Amino acid sequence: FEDELLQKVEKPARYTGAEHNVVIKDPSAVDLRLALCYPDLYEVGMCHVGLQILQHIANLRDDTFCERVFYPQQDAVDLLRSEGIALGTLETGDPLSCFDVLGVTLQHELTYTTVLSVLELGGIPLLAAERGDDHPLVLGGGPCVCNPEPVAPFFDAFVIGDGEEALGEVLDAVKSSRNGGREAILDAVAAVDGVYVPARHDPATYEIRKRVVQNLDAAEYPTRPLV
């Protein structure tokens, strides 16, 4: 949001991304741009420690800039639509459509419709089958993906289980295959252990092994949390 638009919404601090300890990188100096989405209000999403852990892990990589996006309050949604502004991230404000990967956490079923609004506002086709080489890989994770089929048409891939280790492997797969276009990316991501790709796996016969972090003591954890 530009400064003049912030004056038109309730609780404008939700949309500024001006917290202490926020990580900012030069988007032109990295190979991969990742947007992590909690499909609810900022106040709800920032209470989810898992989001901060995954952002911390991704930003430890020199080749990746990981940003955050939350679902705006209705007054801000109306303003985005009336002004013709695409939903962007807190860190740079860039539209979601320009990222390489959009990671969405599915914590409970009530956010499913909000996910669709995030895609629409961000300029990303709702259906995975309608996305092309210029669209981000839409990646789902969280407890609800133990049964991903209700939302499978809208996601390109799902991480089943813990994402701390799997996220980096997905990013590596995207980076190594994207010169071959979207189909090559889907093939590469489908080969990652614990990842379900609806366009590559038959839901009647597939068997995906859940990812589990075996050693929590050795797992990365943010020591400078966002405040």
Side-chain angles (χ1 to χ4, degrees):
F1 283 94
E2 300 294 337
D3 289 346
E4 62 270 18
L5 295 180
L6 287 175
Q7 301 177 35
K8 300 180 180 180
V9 296
E10 295 181 1
K11 298 184 179 180
R14 289 170 170 161
Y15 312 112
T16 61
E19 305 98 331
H20 293 291
N21 298 329
V22 65
V23 174
I24 300 294
K25 298 184 181 182
D26 179 359
S28 65
V30 297
D31 296 319
L32 292 168
R33 297 191 67 187
L34 165 65
L36 288 181
C37 173
Y38 193 105
D40 208 322
L41 294 178
Y42 172 90
E43 292 88 341
V44 178
M46 283 304 295
C47 292
H48 180 57
V49 178
L51 186 81
Q52 294 202 40
I53 291 175
L54 292 179
Q55 185 184 24
H56 167 71
I57 290 173
N59 275 330
L60 287 176
R61 297 169 56 114
D62 292 333
D63 64 351
T64 302
F65 181 19
C66 180
E67 306 175 47
R68 296 160 296 145
V69 60
F70 302 97
Y71 190 66
Q73 181 62 280
Q74 190 60 48
D75 63 335
V77 171
D78 294 340
L79 188 61
L80 289 174
R81 288 179 172 153
S82 65
E83 297 288 334
I85 301 172
L87 179 62
T89 58
L90 289 184
E91 281 76 3
T92 62
D94 291 340
L96 302 184
S97 57
C98 74
F99 284 76
D100 298 296
V101 179
L102 171 63
V104 183
T105 181
L106 299 174
Q107 292 294 311
H108 55 84
E109 291 83 352
L110 292 176
T111 61
Y112 284 0
T113 53
T114 313
V115 172
L116 301 185
S117 294
V118 167
L119 295 174
E120 176 200 358
L121 291 170
I124 301 171
L126 298 187
L127 295 174
E130 296 178 351
R131 296 177 196 138
D133 293 347
D134 295 332
H135 296 118
L137 179 86
V138 180
L139 178 69
C144 284
V145 302
C146 63
N147 177 23
E149 292 309 313
V151 290
F154 311 106
F155 283 82
D156 299 304
F158 298 92
V159 172
I160 311 298
D162 296 335
E164 286 91 333
E165 297 168 351
L167 178 61
E169 296 173 24
V170 169
L171 294 175
D172 288 339
V174 171
K175 181 179 177 179
S176 64
S177 61
R178 61 182 176 182
N179 288 339
R182 188 170 192 81
E183 295 304 312
I185 291 175
L186 293 177
D187 288 338
V189 171
V192 176
D193 190 27
V195 174
Y196 166 47
V197 177
R200 295 294 184 269
H201 299 119
D202 181 356
T205 60
Y206 75 87
E207 184 175 342
I208 305 295
R209 186 177 68 174
K210 176 182 177 180
R211 294 295 295 260
V212 177
V213 175
Q214 299 293 340
N215 186 353
L216 289 177
D217 291 334
E220 286 287 348
Y221 192 87
T223 56
R224 292 174 58 84
L226 297 175
V227 180

